[in-house]
């Protein structure tokens, strides 16, 4: 009999998952695995450590969630007090909540318990929830360490570990937290690591925490989703507010995600849009968890049509209806551009990514295009000269708005490992 990983998979039942899990998938309208799920799930079911590389919006949560649930479903007994059978670590509160929601939608028939712990919420309430034990604990590293220090959680019986969006954990400085958490886990354990990019530090991380991992990859690092149409406007910083309103006014009912580089800039931009009559809200590091949750819910429901965010939300928003992503400010880290625009064209839909580039941002654009190995089509304006922001090369001559799709592969290794000063600036900006 051929190994499971060698069998051509076309539907979830082909994977050999328990009927309760496949029934839950069918009830949710999910019948066919995505490419990352098709490659990762069989390996995980066979017990391998898995290193998964895939762009955002490709179904990574179920790629680790389904084999995780299957292994736990076959384990006998309820979790003991203050323990967790499996741990999923994610870098942001939004991503933790997103993962937990997706898992809970499938755990009803299995009676598995999914618990979340994140900063910005009552730690006493989380202590009470953990006191009863849980099957799957989804957490941000910082809050989990707070709970460990209070002896509110015991990870010695945790034999399943998932690191989701691990590259962003590195960017946000969570590597030290991971070094404190990992030794507390039970052994032997199975570890799955998922990431959208593969900088040099990620290779080191996988060697440290994964045992002979099976690597699966469905798209080259630095490549945007095929259904994202990209374009760029070369304008001055002073012209950005006018151009933003011009674009928003063309489709007032569309869900539009606008990225600002800093917390202050995001809040200021949001308030100016509200003053001009737009249904806008903002999420960034200065907002409480409740404020961020309410803003995302309103955005998902369509009550708010414009959400202004910093990179803290670049990988924590999974809303299929996002039609436009506007990079009001270009990110300082090229990889973040890919993560930002990955908020649109989700679940097989099409989307549009529009970027503004001022003369001061010419070098940032050059780094982004080098990473993605494309020239983003120009919608308006002229690229800055080499002496203005360090712009290099000539963008595509296609001047239609949204005149092309991002294609390419590879990774700018020179940009993959930012210096300490750059990481500090990034944390303040979140």
């Amino acid at each position: 009999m051929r190994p499971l990983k060698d069998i051509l998979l076309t539907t979830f039942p082909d994977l050999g998952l328990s009927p309760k899990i496949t029934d839950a998938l069918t009830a949710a309208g999910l019948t066919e695995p995505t490419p990352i799920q098709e490659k990762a799930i069989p390996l995980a079911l066979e017990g391998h450590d898995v290193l998964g590389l895939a762009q955002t919006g490709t179904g990574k949560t179920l790629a680790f969630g389904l084999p995780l649930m299957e292994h736990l479903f076959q384990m006998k007994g309820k979790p003991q007090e203050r323990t967790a059978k499996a741990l999923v670590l994610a870098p942001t509160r939004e991503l933790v909540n997103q993962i937990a929601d997706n898992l809970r939608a499938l755990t009803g028939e299995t009676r598995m318990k999914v618990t979340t712990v994140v900063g910005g919420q009552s730690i006493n309430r989380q202590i009470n929830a953990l006191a009863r034990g849980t099957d799957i604990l989804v957490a941000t590293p910082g809050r989990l360490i707070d709970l460990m220090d209070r002896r509110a959680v015991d990870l010695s019986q945790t034999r399943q570990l998932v690191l989701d969006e691990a590259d962003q954990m590195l960017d946000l400085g969570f590597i030290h937290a991971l070094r404190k958490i990992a030794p507390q886990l039970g052994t032997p354990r199975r570890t799955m690591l998922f990431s959208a990019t593969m900088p040099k530090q990620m290779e080191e991380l996988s060697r440290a925490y994964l045992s002979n991992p099976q690597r699966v990859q469905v798209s080259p690092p630095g490549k945007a989703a095929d259904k994202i149409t990209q374009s760029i406007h070369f304008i001055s910083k002073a012209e950005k507010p006018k151009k933003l309103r011009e674009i928003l006014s063309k489709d007032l009912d569309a869900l539009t995600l606008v990225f600002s580089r800093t917390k202050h800039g995001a809040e200021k931009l949001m308030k100016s849009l509200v003053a001009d009559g737009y249904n806008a809200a903002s999420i960034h590091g200065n907002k409480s968890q409740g404020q961020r949750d309410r803003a995302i819910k309103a955005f998902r429901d369509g009550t708010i049509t414009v959400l202004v965010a910093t990179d803290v939300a670049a990988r924590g928003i999974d809303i299929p209806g996002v039609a436009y992503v506007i990079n009001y400010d270009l990110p300082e880290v090229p990889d973040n551009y890919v993560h930002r625009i990955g908020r649109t064209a989700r679940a097989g839909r099409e989307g549009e990514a529009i970027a503004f580039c001022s003369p001061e941002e010419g070098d940032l654009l050059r780094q982004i295009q080098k990473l993605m190995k494309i020239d983003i089509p120009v919608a308006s304006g002229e690229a800055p000269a080499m002496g203005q922001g360090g712009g290099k090369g000539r963008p595509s001559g296609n001047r239609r708005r949204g005149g092309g799709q991002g294609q390419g592969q590879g990774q700018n290794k020179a940009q993959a490992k930012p210096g300490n000063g750059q990481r500090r600036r990034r944390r303040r900006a979140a």
Side-chain angles (χ1 to χ4, degrees):
M1 180 177 178
R2 287 182 300 165
L4 185 59
K5 64 181 179 180
D6 294 333
I7 301 175
L8 179 62
L9 306 176
T10 56
T11 65
F12 283 112
D14 294 330
L15 297 173
L17 296 166
S18 300
K20 285 187 177 181
I21 295 179
T22 55
D23 288 347
L25 287 166
T26 301
L30 301 172
T31 57
E32 297 181 1
T34 65
I36 187 63
Q37 294 164 3
E38 187 171 353
K39 290 184 177 182
I41 290 174
L43 294 170
L45 288 176
E46 290 176 352
H48 294 288
D49 282 7
V50 174
L51 172 59
L53 296 176
Q55 63 201 39
T56 56
T58 55
K60 285 184 289 182
T61 299
L62 291 190
F64 64 76
L66 291 178
L68 193 69
M69 291 169 57
E70 180 63 28
H71 282 292
L72 295 180
F73 182 62
Q74 296 179 9
M75 294 176 63
K76 296 181 179 180
K78 296 181 179 179
Q80 297 181 14
E81 295 180 355
R82 299 186 299 109
T83 68
K85 293 183 178 180
L87 172 64
V88 180
L89 289 177
T92 66
R93 292 173 271 183
E94 285 76 20
L95 188 53
V96 165
N97 291 333
Q98 172 191 312
I99 292 169
D101 288 344
N102 289 338
L103 294 179
R104 285 176 182 140
L106 301 173
T107 56
E109 293 298 321
T110 67
R111 295 185 179 180
M112 290 183 194
K113 184 178 180 182
V114 180
T115 302
T116 61
V117 293
V118 299
Q121 293 183 351
S122 169
I123 194 169
N124 290 329
R125 188 175 302 169
Q126 294 171 357
I127 290 173
N128 291 335
L130 288 170
R132 297 184 291 273
T134 187
D135 292 288
I136 303 175
L137 176 60
V138 191
T140 52
R143 176 50 62 92
L144 179 58
I145 287 180
D146 289 342
L147 291 164
M148 290 168 58
D149 290 342
R150 297 186 183 210
R151 301 185 183 275
V153 60
D154 177 6
L155 300 178
S156 63
Q157 296 184 32
T158 304
R159 301 297 179 89
Q160 306 281 336
L161 172 64
V162 177
L163 305 176
D164 193 23
E165 301 289 7
D167 50 348
Q168 192 182 24
M169 284 192 196
L170 291 175
D171 288 346
L172 295 176
F174 288 139
I175 185 63
H176 299 296
L178 183 58
R179 288 172 181 160
K180 187 173 182 179
I181 293 168
Q184 304 302 315
L185 301 175
T187 56
R189 69 168 182 267
R190 198 268 308 276
T191 303
M192 292 182 279
L193 184 154
F194 284 81
S195 176
T197 61
M198 194 67 183
K200 182 179 179 181
Q201 283 182 300
M202 193 61 57
E203 296 278 7
E204 298 171 356
L205 189 69
S206 66
R207 286 196 296 269
Y209 296 103
L210 277 68
S211 176
N212 190 27
Q214 300 295 305
R215 178 166 172 162
V216 294
Q217 181 172 337
V218 298
S219 62
K223 183 181 183 298
D226 292 333
K227 293 188 177 182
I228 300 177
T229 300
Q230 300 181 64
S231 63
I232 191 161
H233 296 267
F234 291 103
I235 55 177
S236 68
K237 185 176 181 180
E239 293 173 321
K240 287 185 178 183
K242 181 180 178 182
K243 176 60 68 174
L244 177 61
R245 286 156 176 78
E246 176 185 315
I247 294 172
L248 293 176
S249 297
K250 290 180 180 179
D251 198 350
L252 291 172
D253 294 329
L255 296 184
T256 303
L257 185 56
V258 182
F259 280 102
S260 173
R261 189 176 299 122
T262 67
K263 295 177 287 188
H264 173 73
E267 192 68 11
K268 181 179 179 182
L269 178 58
M270 179 275 292
K271 289 181 177 178
S272 69
L273 289 172
V274 171
D276 287 344
Y278 293 92
N279 293 324
S282 65
I283 56 173
H284 49 71
N286 284 347
K287 295 283 187 176
S288 69
Q289 183 62 42
Q291 290 174 316
R292 288 157 67 167
D293 289 344
R294 287 191 294 272
I296 290 177
K297 182 180 184 301
F299 189 56
R300 185 186 301 273
D301 295 343
T303 306
I304 294 296
T305 56
V306 181
L307 186 63
V308 186
T310 56
D311 283 312
V312 70
R315 307 189 206 186
I317 297 179
D318 184 11
I319 300 175
V322 175
Y324 301 94
V325 170
I326 299 178
N327 279 280
Y328 189 83
D329 299 316
L330 292 181
E332 292 183 346
V333 180
D335 284 332
N336 285 349
Y337 175 84
V338 180
H339 303 315
R340 288 179 178 188
I341 69 175
R343 298 306 97 199
T344 188
R346 300 180 75 82
R349 304 188 184 189
E350 296 183 351
E352 186 166 352
I354 303 169
F356 297 165
C357 181
S358 66
E360 299 82 6
E361 297 172 302
D363 188 57
L364 299 179
L365 174 63
R366 179 185 64 81
Q367 295 174 28
I368 290 168
Q369 295 189 138
K370 184 177 180 180
L371 169 68
M372 301 181 70
K373 292 190 175 181
I374 65 166
D375 286 339
I376 300 174
V378 178
S380 67
E382 297 291 337
M386 189 62 183
Q388 294 179 284
K392 184 178 180 181
R394 189 175 68 180
S396 168
N398 187 342
R399 292 183 175 274
R400 293 176 298 169
R401 181 172 178 259
Q405 294 178 346
Q407 309 218 354
Q409 60 184 9
Q411 171 171 302
N412 182 358
K413 294 182 179 179
Q415 299 300 325
K417 188 175 181 180
N420 291 334
Q422 192 174 17
R423 284 195 293 268
R424 285 195 295 270
R425 288 196 302 273
R426 197 177 319 138
R427 286 196 291 270
R428 286 197 297 270

